[in-house]
């Protein structure tokens, strides 16, 4: 299911966050706080996302079948909800990454001309 | 795919465990904030700072929780349920509004349910047989031979020949035959049928068996089947009735079976047709066509087939009518009228409830504005308001169905229809379903406008709109509502008025005699032999003549206003013959009816068995246009009769729309063996029917008495259907008027409440309370005038529907319309004035202070 090339801004914003979250989960299931911390680390603190908005994104992706979740215990002994990628999620991540790369390549070409 | 299913299931489960979902989300989000706070603390921040920062970074916890809930578990079903509970709470807090709204809707829905139930019985279920579309009535149309129409009933041989026609699956004849039971003297209604009658309708006997072909042979033993209710009545439902003998008329018949319950309820006893096999007599036929044969094809081929076997007279054609159509034919027009009336009531109810919702809506402005401000979009608000309307409608529909259930029997008794015997109107699932569907449709009608208005007002008020701008029930709207309801009610009232007028005319028709002044006795001895009958009537006439207070006594074969009687063609003075009604009367009959001779004399002793007749004035003027009827000669079938007298015209068969014919009276021949009606003329107030009854019983103890009653009862029976129709439509009109008055009252009451401040100002400036009140009332009068004009205009068209039901009344009868208009105007002005009075007691200081 290829998305149409014309996407609105909020779609883009949502889509970007979604992509980042999916990427973060690529290495294994994590709970919400851990995802936020990881995003901080990986983006070297450049991406300051309102942390709360992570959760609606997680819920949306779960509703779309890109993630699955279950309650479990963190390494600090806390009860937390863990999210993991589904097969569909993995496929979606590949698609979105490719799409993003195309976009940045195009932008790069324009800027460096 | 699997994932979607399990996600769906989880969501479904969450619908039912709402709190669990909320708690989960809450826990997850809070836990995140805590962890962030702890992390910041570890970095060196104080506990409070850490918490504050964590919360800032996180965002609006409440909003995110809501958003999360919306995505994860709440969903659509949940919000609807929330709305429903909220609506119920709201309605309970406003009992006045709720009662009126639900009551109004219940009236509309109740009428609808009753209508659907009647329509269902009359149109959809009149034939509860397998494949009813295949059933047809078969009529042979024989062209008149020499001025007489020959009998066109099929013979038994015809029936059996026809059964083997390729397109006929089955055929059965029937012939009505009233019988007289002998075990207890009573009149039984009976039907003679051929073999296969019950099988054709897919009906199996409750007990025993049905008729076979050999039972119709003329020498075969007499057998019969019992009707279900007769079987319950006389034999207490005893299955051992098979084989027992029942005495009917002159014979004893053996019971071979019982017809199941619900089939042809009014028939007490069934016999096999015993005509000679080739007699074409007075039978009627039903047939079942084979699958896939069209009516026209069958009709053509059947007509062709008539000339094979035992040929019919040349030119005979066959006419097939679907049984469904035959049975429901008379009903359609009446049902259309009823449906129109109920539709009008429903519309009035909708307009009413819509207006009430708008009126109440003004008090909800602030609450809705708050909801709008926290993010409920206009669509969401509309959904909530529609849900409230739906709750009202559900309660109203339930109430309506309950009302219909309560009153269904009375309504059915009032319905001016001949409903087929096998279907009683009930509130079955089809009826309830249709009623509910109507409720849904009407909810949308009356609910949408208020919902949209209120939500729009709420959303606008967010942008700082003024209070007045957000007024849902504006003055203009209120006036439109009043005008519309008024117009609809006028149509209903005009229709009822017309029917009332017509009924009045019907009852005032000049019958040619005064029915109140005669007593009619219809009785016959149980033994149907001519000798016993002759003796009975002769003795009865003597006995009643001798009763004190009896002025005159007579007998006839067809009392006026009863649906019996024969007609024949007479001619006079060589002119072509014309059709007249004939009647056999005894000496004393005319006197008993209070008729005097207008020329010549009445019958007297010795006229029996002579060729003498008495004409009524209509017959006399038709047969003898030059006026010399007396002693003239009339001819029938090559026999001459002398006219000895002329009397006034008396209405024979019912007063409504029968073509009036002249009447030719003949004396009852001495060897007459038919049943007679005896007519007495008592001195007013002297004779009681009980006395007459005793006299009748004393003549012959085994007599079967059909009626002993005043002639006025005969008249009543003739007007049963028009009377019912009038009562029913009047009830509908009354309901419509009631609803309209309630609507007008509530709109006016609301206007007073809304304009309190304005009224206060006016009173403060010196306007008298009376003037204020009349101002409010005048606001309602303009729309009433419009409504009246529109309603009268609409009535001119609508009442054309009633034209066939009217007797000597035009569909645009001025008096009826004027009466309807007066009634509704007076009551409506009162309905507007009562709540308007409250305007007079507005305290100007209070009013100005309330803001």
């Amino acid at each position: 299911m290829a998305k149409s090339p014309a996407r609105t801004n909020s779609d883009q914003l949502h889509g970007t966050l979604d992509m980042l979250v999916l990427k973060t989960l690529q290495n294994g299931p994590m709970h919400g706080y851990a995802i936020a911390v990881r995003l901080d680390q990986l983006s070297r603190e450049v991406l300051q996302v309102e942390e709360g908005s992570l959760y609606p994104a997680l819920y949306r992706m779960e509703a779309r079948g890109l993630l699955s979740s279950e309650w479990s215990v963190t390494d600090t002994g806390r009860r937390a909800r863990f999210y993991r990628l589904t097969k569909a999620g993995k496929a979606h991540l590949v698609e979105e990454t490719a799409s993003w790369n195309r976009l940045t390549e195009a932008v790069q070409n324009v800027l460096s001309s | 795919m699997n994932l979607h299913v399990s996600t769906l299931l989880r969501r479904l489960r969450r619908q039912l465990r709402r709190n669990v979902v909320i708690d989960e989300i809450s826990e997850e989000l809070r836990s995140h904030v805590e962890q962030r706070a702890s992390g910041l603390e570890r970095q060196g921040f104080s506990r409070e700072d850490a918490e504050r920062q964590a919360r800032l970074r996180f965002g609006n916890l409440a909003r995110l929780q809501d958003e999360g809930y919306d995505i994860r578990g709440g969903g659509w079903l949940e919000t609807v349920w929330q709305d429903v509970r909220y609506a119920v709470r709201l309605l309970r807090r406003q009992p006045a509004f709720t009662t009126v709204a639900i009551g109004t809707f219940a009236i509309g829905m109740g009428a609808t349910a009753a209508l659907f139930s009647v329509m269902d019985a009359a149109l959809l279920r009149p034939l509860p047989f397998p494949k009813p579309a295949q059933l047809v009535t078969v009529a042979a149309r024989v062209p008149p031979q020499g001025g007489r129409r020959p009998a066109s009933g099929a013979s038994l041989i015809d029936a059996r020949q026809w059964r083997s026609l390729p397109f006929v699956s089955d055929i059965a004849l029937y012939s009505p035959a009233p019988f007289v039971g002998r075990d207890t003297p009573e009149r039984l209604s009976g039907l003679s049928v051929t073999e296969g009658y019950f099988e054709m309708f897919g009906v199996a006997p409750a007990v025993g068996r049905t008729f076979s072909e050999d039972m119709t042979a003329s020498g075969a033993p007499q057998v019969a089947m019992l009707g279900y209710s007769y079987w319950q009545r006389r034999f207490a439902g005893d299955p051992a009735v098979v084989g027992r003998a029942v005495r009917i008329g002159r014979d004893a018949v053996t019971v071979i079976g019982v017809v199941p319950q619900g089939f042809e309820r009014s028939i007490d006893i069934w016999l096999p047709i015993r005509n000679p096999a080739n007699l074409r007599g007075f039978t009627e036929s039903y047939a079942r066509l084979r699958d896939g044969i069209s009516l026209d094809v069958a009709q053509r081929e059947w007509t062709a087939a008539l000339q094979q076997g035992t040929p019919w007279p040349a030119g005979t054609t066959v006419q097939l009518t679907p049984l469904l159509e035959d049975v429901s034919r008379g009903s359609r027009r009446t049902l259309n009228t009823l449906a129109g009336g109920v539709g009008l009531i429903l519309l009035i109810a909708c307009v009413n409830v819509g207006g009430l919702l708008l009126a109440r809506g003004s008090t909800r402005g602030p609450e809705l504005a708050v909801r709008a401000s926290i993010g409920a979009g206009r669509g969401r608000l509309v959904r909530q308001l529609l849900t409230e309307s739906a709750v009202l409608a559900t309660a109203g529909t339930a109430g309506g169905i309950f009302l219909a259930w309560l009153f269904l029997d009375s309504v059915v008794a009032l319905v001016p229809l001949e409903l087929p015997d096998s279907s009683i109107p009930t509130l079955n699932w089809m009826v309830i379903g249709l009623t509910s569907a109507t409720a849904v449709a009407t909810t949308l009608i009356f609910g949408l406008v208020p919902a949209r208005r209120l939500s729009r007002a709420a959303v606008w008020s967010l942008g700082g709109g003024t209070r007045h701008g957000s007024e849902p029930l504006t003055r203009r709207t209120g006036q439109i509502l009043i005008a519309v309801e008024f117009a609809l009610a006028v149509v209903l009232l005009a229709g009822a008025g017309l029917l009332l007028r017509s009924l009045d005319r019907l009852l005032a028709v000049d019958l040619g005699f005064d029915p109140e002044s005669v007593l009619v006795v219809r009785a016959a001895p149980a033994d149907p032999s001519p000798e016993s009958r002759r003796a009975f009537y002769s003795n009865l006439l003597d006995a009643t003549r001798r009763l004190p207070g009896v002025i005159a006594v007579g007998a006839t074969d067809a009392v006026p206003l009863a649906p019996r009687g024969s007609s024949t063609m007479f001619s006079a003075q060589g002119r072509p013959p014309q059709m007249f009604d004939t009647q056999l009367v005894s000496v004393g009959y005319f006197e008993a009816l209070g008729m005097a001779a207008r020329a010549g004399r009445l019958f007297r002793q010795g006229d029996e068995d002579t060729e003498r007749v008495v004409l009524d004035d209509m017959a006399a003027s038709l047969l003898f246009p030059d006026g010399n009827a007396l002693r003239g000669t009339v001819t029938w079938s090559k026999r001459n009769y002398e006219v000895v007298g002329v009397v006034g015209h008396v209405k024979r068969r019912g007063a409504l729309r029968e073509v009036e014919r002249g009447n030719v009276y003949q004396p009852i021949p001495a060897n007459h063996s038919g049943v007679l009606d005896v007519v007495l003329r008592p001195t007013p107030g002297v004779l009681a029917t009980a006395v007459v009854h005793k006299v009748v019983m004393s003549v012959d103890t085994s007599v079967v008495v059909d009626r002993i009653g005043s002639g006025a009862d005969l008249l009543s029976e003739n007007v049963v259907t028009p009377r019912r129709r009038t009562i029913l439509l009047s009830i509908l009109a009354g309901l419509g008027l009631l609803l309209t008055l309630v609507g007008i009252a509530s709109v006016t009451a609301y206007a007073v409440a809304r304009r309190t401040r304005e009224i206060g100002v006016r009173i403060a400036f010196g306007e008298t309370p009376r003037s204020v009140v009349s101002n409010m009332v005048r606001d309602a009068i303009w729309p009433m005038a419009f409504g009246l004009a529109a309603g009268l205009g609409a009535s001119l068209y609508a009442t054309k529907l009633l034209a066939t039901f009217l007797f000597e009344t035009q569909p645009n009868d001025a008096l009826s319309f004027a009466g309807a208009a007066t009634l509704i105007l007076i009551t409506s002005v009162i309905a507007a004035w009562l709540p308007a009075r409250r305007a007079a007691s507005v305290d100007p200081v209070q009013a100005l202070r309330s803001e």
Side-chain angles (χ1 to χ4, degrees), chain B residues 794-806:
Chain B
S795 302
L796 284 176
Y797 281 106
T799 51
K800 289 207 168 68
L801 245 193
L802 294 176
T804 39
F805 300 134
L806 297 179

Side-chain angles (χ1 to χ4, degrees), chain B residues 295-491:
Chain B
L295 202 73
D296 300 313
V297 168
Q299 212 165 263
R300 265 202 313 267
E301 304 210 3
W302 207 315
T303 305
L306 281 185
Q307 300 313 323
Q308 300 160 6
T310 333
W312 287 69
T316 309
T317 57
V318 165
Q319 182 163 10
L320 302 177
T321 319
L323 195 56
L324 200 63
E325 193 184 302
D326 193 61
V327 152
S328 64
R329 183 199 334 248
S331 317
R332 261 171 231 277
R333 200 181 299 251
T334 304
L335 285 174
N336 284 342
T337 313
L338 281 182
V342 170
L344 286 175
I345 291 209
L346 205 53
L347 267 177
I348 297 181
C350 283
V351 170
N352 244 353
V353 179
L356 284 172
L357 281 172
L358 281 174
R360 188 185 67 141
S362 70
T363 62
R364 306 200 44 199
E367 164 224 335
L368 290 175
V370 167
R371 287 204 74 169
S373 77
I374 58 169
R378 194 154 163 223
R380 181 80 188 78
L381 286 179
V382 169
R383 189 147 55 109
Q384 176 195 340
L385 292 166
L386 271 183
T387 312
E388 289 174 21
S389 304
V391 168
L392 267 179
T394 311
T397 308
I401 293 187
F402 176 68
L403 279 178
W405 177 75
L406 267 183
F407 291 109
L408 194 61
D409 289 330
S410 327
V411 167
V412 169
L414 275 179
V415 167
L417 283 181
E418 290 293 325
L419 284 174
D421 236 6
S422 311
S423 60
I424 318 181
T426 57
L427 292 174
N428 57 28
W429 288 116
M430 165 78 92
V431 169
I432 295 186
L434 282 173
T435 309
S436 308
T438 314
V440 168
T442 49
T443 307
L444 285 176
I445 295 178
F446 76 67
L448 257 176
V449 169
R452 287 183 46 186
R453 280 234 184 141
L454 291 179
S455 59
R456 177 165 31 143
V459 169
W460 280 2
S461 75
L462 276 189
T466 66
R467 248 191 64 199
H468 291 297
S470 69
E471 200 54 69
L473 186 55
T474 58
R475 185 169 155 197
R476 170 65 60 84
T477 311
Q479 292 182 320
I480 295 181
L481 286 182
I482 292 185
V484 168
E485 284 193 15
F486 205 86
L488 294 173
V490 163
V491 174

Side-chain angles (χ1 to χ4, degrees), chain A residues 31-33 36 40 50-53 55-56 59-60 62 64-65 67 69 71 78-79 81 83 86, chain B residues 3-4 7 10 14 24-25 27-29 31-32 34-36 57-59 63-64 67-68 71-72:
Chain A
H31 63 282
Y33 179 65
D40 264 356
E50 179 193 55
E51 284 191 355
S53 64
Y55 286 93
Y59 299 154
R60 255 192 300 272
E62 184 182 4
R64 281 166 61 192
L67 300 177
S69 73
W71 284 95
R78 242 197 156 81
R79 190 171 111 101
R81 204 136 168 233
Y83 297 86
T86 62
Chain B
L3 196 60
H4 281 290
T7 313
R10 246 184 305 178
R14 282 174 199 155
E24 274 190 0
I25 296 175
E27 184 182 342
E28 197 175 358
L29 300 193
S31 152
H32 181 118
E34 266 174 38
Q35 290 178 68
R36 180 56 78 187
R57 267 186 82 161
F58 191 78
R63 179 175 63 82
L64 285 164
E67 205 179 324
I71 300 175
R72 267 196 60 187

Side-chain angles (χ1 to χ4, degrees), chain B residues 80-138:
Chain B
V80 167
W81 183 237
Q82 269 177 6
D83 284 347
V84 168
R85 283 167 53 185
Y86 183 66
V88 171
R89 268 203 309 258
L90 209 60
L91 289 175
R92 280 169 63 176
R93 274 198 301 178
Q94 299 177 307
F97 163 82
T98 309
T99 320
V100 175
I102 294 187
T104 304
F105 204 68
I107 290 181
M109 279 297 129
T112 309
L115 175 74
F116 280 144
S117 133
V118 170
M119 283 178 115
D120 173 54
L123 294 179
L124 297 181
R125 277 194 301 123
L127 302 179
F129 312 123
K131 300 230 181 103
Q134 294 174 331
L135 293 169
V136 294
T137 61
V138 184

